[in-house]
Amino acid sequence: MPDSDPLHDHPAVRRRDRGLRRVGVVTAAVLTTAAAGTAVLGAEYRGQPPGVVPPPATAPASAPTPPAGSTLRPPVQAPVPVAPPSQAPSATSGAS
């Protein structure tokens, strides 16, 4: 007579075990990808002398250009912030 445990042969237990294996595989894949990415970045930055900052992926534009046919123009000067009121308004709850 084979040793069979009816508790572990239940479909819900098998589904749970399958799900746990799937989560373990996905977790291992994420960790492996993160470790590989870290190694690649480390190797790239290791080749640079200390204190050297790599150039940005794209050069920053001095001012965004409006789309063709647009009549909008950037402001000449940045807006000036409005000073807060000298006294905060009071609120009443309506209770007497």
Side-chain angles (χ1 to χ4, degrees):
M1 200 149 114
D3 291 327
S4 176
D5 187 2
L7 185 62
H8 289 110
D9 288 337
H10 194 274
V13 173
R14 286 195 304 266
R15 279 194 308 270
R16 181 202 62 202
D17 290 343
R18 233 185 348 251
L20 287 173
R21 276 192 300 274
R22 189 176 305 139
V23 167
V25 168
V26 169
T27 302
V30 168
L31 289 175
T32 302
T33 304
T38 302
V40 167
L41 287 176
E44 183 176 329
Y45 286 116
R46 181 178 34 183
Q48 296 180 354
V52 174
V53 178
T58 59
S62 59
T65 57
S70 173
T71 59
L72 295 176
R73 298 183 186 207
V76 177
Q77 170 180 328
V80 178
V82 178
S86 59
Q87 180 180 8
S90 63
T92 57
S93 66
S96 37

